[in-house]
Amino acid sequence: MQYYHQPIDVVLKELDVSSRDGLTSEQVEKRLQQYGLNKLKEAKKKSNFQRFLDQLKDPMILILLVAAVISFILAIIENDPKSFFEPILILVIVILNAIIGVLQENKAENALNALKKMTTLQARVIRNGKEELINAEDLVPGDLIRLEAGDVVPADARLIRSVSLKSEESALTGESVPSEKDAEAIVKKNAPLGDRIDMVYSGCSITYGTGLAIVTATGMDTEMGKIANLLNEADNAQTPLQLKLAQLGKYLGILALACCAIIFVVGLLNGQQPMELFLTSISLAVAAIPEGLPAIVTVVLSIGVTKLAKKQAIIRNLPAVETLGSASVICSDKTGTLTQNKMTLVKAWVDGDQDIVDITTDDPKEIKELLKLGTLCSDGSIVFVDGKETSIGDPTETSIISAARKNGMTKEELNKKYPRLGEVPFDSDRKLMSTINKMDDKLVVITKGALDSLIPRLASGDVEKAKALNEQMSKNALRVLAIASKEIDALPDQINSESIEHDLHLKGLVAMIDPARPEAKEAVALCKKAGIRPIMITGDHVITASAIAKELGILNPGDLAITGVELDDMSDSELDGKIDQISVYARVSPENKIRIVKGWQRKNQVVAMTGDGVNDAPALKAADIGCAMGITGTEVAKGASDMVLMDDNFATIVYAVKEGRGIYANIKKVIGYLLGTNIGEVVTVFMAMLLFHESPLASMQLLWINLVTDSLPAIALGMEPVEKDVMDQKPKPKNEGIFAHGFGVRIILQGIMFGGLALLSFWIGLKTTDTLRGAETMCFITLALSQIVQAFNMRSEHSLFKIGPFGNKRLNGAALLSLFLVMLIIFTPLNIPFNLEILPWNDFFIALALAFVPLVVMELSKAFGLIKHAEAKEYNK
């Protein structure tokens, strides 16, 4: 049926639903079985076998496979059973690496899938005559849904009521300007989608107004479902860090191939066998390139976002994890983020009275009248789930509704007795909301909002008294709303601000308190200690905002608290000159928020910004890290963000920054470890070929070292617990490279150290054992074990003994397994095909002692300050 072409009563009859009570539970159950869940089909996932084949597409792996095939052919020609061991080993190593890659990929995907489940779209639905908040995927055709500015439309629906409703439908129509909606419109039968102004569509967002709609299509039957193939394309975008590492791999590949060519030519000139040289060169090339690095980085990132999710911080974009560690300014909203978002109405004043009174459960009739008007002019609601009170909507509104309920007036009863005939929704520019209600056969306009926005629209009332009381209550961190009303003779033709919000009569003030979160003060102090500047940006009165900011330690002596109007009067250059002094911005507009973000960004600061409304979306996009509120946040705000705070808590942002720093530090450790050890392998073989005209390590030995000393300890190193002093360090500058502050030079020097020690062990072996096999065994032991030791060295820039040498249990296990695998091919018959031998104990201990030299060198480097991090500059303001 073309629902957009049908009158509302026909649509209701066709879908067998009441416009007041919605569907029953029995109807919902039947329709769920008939239509299924309201979600799009996901793109077909790759099988594990396909992923396994993808692992073999790496150029270096292909070269290794070619080497194995050539080796097999030669073994068949030579007809020597021992010759088959090497190609079999190469294939086993390739298969093991591919299996590890598949496991890592699955782990990363499972982590991201778990996060998707935590960010499910929700919908406000009327069922069995009651309003509920449900997961959007449980919607069925016929469901009644409420919509307001900031919501993402959860399913295709026919409007049955709309007030100033606008929907942004560019995803479907390509039209960037929001479409105005009208439930009463008569739409032509063959109207194109963009002209169906009595419909709203799944995936589009409500930018203005409110509405009530009946669901007509769900899941793949929606307009968005019809283009689901476009939406289901897998998002394989890599983070900036991963792209840089891929580029680094290319450079290392070119360098490794050049080394291989030189080794091959030098070996031929010295009479070595071409096949052995070929295999050595190939294995060296593979050893030189940390092909497992991108996969390990992905695993570290996915583990990080899973850990953050458990702490109520949902990362929507992987690059945000990298950016989090660089955050140097956090611009936070006050309500619900720095405060508890448990608005409770505590004070009220009726126009004409002298004093403010406390709100109780049995207030005077004048106060009850004020609460009645405030409740009727509210879109929020209170529902009871299993006996527990749950607030839906703006907490300021629900505090009024709750106070009225405690005085015996429920919103449902008031709405039934005094029905709403029209409304002008709240917006951040007017800072007002108005409704027209039929009260005792009279038409009454009720307006509530900020007192300073309401005063110019008043015809009567003690404005001076109201101003004084407003300021008095604001200084005590109370949020104050003014309520006014008037009678009108008839509904205006156009219900808007201009037609009804004038000549109002002040009825009084209501004040609610939202106490500061206990943990927020500690989080602010931690921010300052970490060199991060906390800034409060709020729509509240400047006095209220300043009171909370002082309590939390955000606003200190010498700091400024300004309003959005004052900010508007500043030029960008004036703002740049004062921005370091301003800690509180009150009564701000969405445009103000963007200016604040860009002002800090002009100073090369990395800015995190919180927001919850549809009007916050541009600022969330402009910030380096947009943080949407998970509880009070609109779906539009969440869609524009990089991170969603499921508990709306400032302390969670600070925790996320701490974890972000820890994740980035762990990635650096993994990169330093893998590159350093791989450089050591290249140096060992390359210099030995030039100096001794002999390869100190056979291709099989190199491959074994690369397998057991790279992947396992590297993955474990990426799971290193966040260091205790990570918040004592300066934020990482926005454009700082991974190899800054001499980190790249240190990696090269460490690689040279590993190579030098292995060469020294090889040279000693030639002298003491007088055999090439004995020398290779000593070199193998030193290089393999030194890399295991290095994994512990890379755990921290502090002394290993200061942090506890065995604090990372995963690394302990990985090191023991690697050590076991190394000893397995030395002290068992496997040493024969690996061309190794059991050494005399004095030679074994020499090789072992050389393997521990990196521990001594690294500890001395840390002790003398050659390895250190930048201390944070604490914000004492």
Side-chain angles (χ1 to χ4, degrees), residues 3 19 79 111 132 141 164 190 263 308 385 399 402 410 469 556 561 626 628 647-648 788 807:
Y3 291 104
S19 62
N79 198 24
E132 302 175 39
S164 305
N190 297 319
I263 289 172
L308 284 167
V385 180
S399 71
S402 179
T410 68
L469 294 176
N556 293 306
D647 57 0
D648 291 10
I788 297 173

Side-chain angles (χ1 to χ4, degrees), residues 115-150:
L115 295 184
K116 285 180 184 178
K117 291 179 182 178
M118 296 182 71
T119 54
T120 306
L121 181 67
Q122 293 191 306
R124 291 170 65 177
V125 63
I126 297 172
R127 289 177 176 173
N128 302 304
K130 296 180 181 178
E131 186 171 323
E132 302 175 39
L133 195 64
I134 66 168
N135 287 337
E137 66 177 26
D138 293 326
L139 285 174
V140 295
D143 262 326
L144 284 182
I145 55 173
R146 287 196 186 279
L147 299 167
E148 60 184 36

Side-chain angles (χ1 to χ4, degrees), residues 124 131 148 378-382 392-394 397-398 401 411:
R124 291 170 65 177
E131 186 171 323
E148 60 184 36
S378 292
D379 283 329
S381 61
I382 292 175
I392 301 175
D394 184 87
E397 291 189 336
T398 55
I401 296 167
K411 187 185 178 187

Side-chain angles (χ1 to χ4, degrees), residues 15-47:
L15 291 168
D16 188 22
V17 59
S18 162
S19 62
R20 189 185 69 180
D21 297 332
L23 296 174
T24 64
S25 299
E26 292 77 14
Q27 286 177 304
V28 170
E29 191 63 38
K30 287 178 181 177
R31 295 186 190 193
L32 266 176
Q33 292 177 3
Q34 181 181 353
Y35 296 103
L37 290 175
N38 175 34
K39 62 180 183 179
L40 301 177
K41 289 181 181 177
E42 295 184 1
K44 188 177 179 182
K45 295 180 180 179
K46 288 184 178 180
S47 67

Side-chain angles (χ1 to χ4, degrees), residues 46 56 73 133 162 241 312 373 380 460 507 599 608 619 671 733 798 847:
K46 288 184 178 180
L56 304 179
I73 294 170
L133 195 64
S162 62
L241 179 60
Q312 305 298 309
L373 293 174
S460 68
K507 291 297 180 181
I671 291 169
H798 296 294

Side-chain angles (χ1 to χ4, degrees), residues 692-866:
F692 304 113
H693 307 303
E694 291 283 358
S695 174
L697 294 165
S699 56
M700 291 186 299
Q701 296 164 359
L702 270 173
L703 288 167
W704 192 260
I705 290 174
N706 205 36
L707 175 68
V708 302
T709 62
D710 275 8
S711 298
L712 297 176
I715 293 171
L717 196 58
M719 299 180 194
E720 181 73 23
V722 177
E723 293 192 62
K724 292 179 181 178
D725 66 342
V726 74
M727 294 298 272
D728 294 340
Q729 302 168 26
K730 286 182 183 178
K732 181 179 73 70
K734 186 182 292 189
N735 298 318
E736 181 178 289
I738 193 83
F739 300 108
H741 304 298
F743 186 60
V745 175
R746 274 163 39 201
I747 290 172
I748 293 170
L749 291 176
Q750 288 164 15
I752 292 171
M753 173 179 67
F754 297 133
L757 290 169
L759 287 170
L760 178 60
S761 188
F762 181 70
W763 179 77
I764 292 172
L766 287 174
K767 298 294 183 184
T768 58
T769 66
D770 203 30
T771 65
L772 180 60
R773 188 169 179 176
E776 284 184 358
T777 304
M778 285 190 68
C779 181
F780 175 82
I781 292 170
T782 299
L783 189 59
L785 299 188
S786 65
Q787 294 186 8
I788 297 173
V789 170
Q790 180 65 2
F792 287 88
N793 287 333
M794 293 299 295
R795 284 185 57 211
S796 174
E797 292 177 339
H798 296 294
S799 169
L800 188 59
F801 301 100
K802 180 180 177 182
I803 65 167
F806 305 111
N808 185 338
K809 293 180 180 179
R810 292 185 179 89
L811 182 57
N812 297 340
L816 285 172
L817 181 56
S818 294
L819 180 63
F820 169 77
L821 291 171
V822 169
M823 295 303 151
L824 183 70
I825 62 170
I826 294 173
F827 293 105
T828 71
L830 283 173
N831 60 16
I832 297 171
F834 274 94
N835 201 37
L836 298 170
E837 63 181 29
I838 299 175
L839 296 169
W841 284 110
N842 58 326
D843 290 330
F844 178 80
F845 282 119
I846 290 172
L848 188 62
L850 289 172
F852 278 90
V853 169
L855 176 63
V856 178
V857 172
M858 293 288 283
E859 285 297 312
L860 289 173
S861 298
K862 293 172 184 178
F864 287 102
L866 299 176

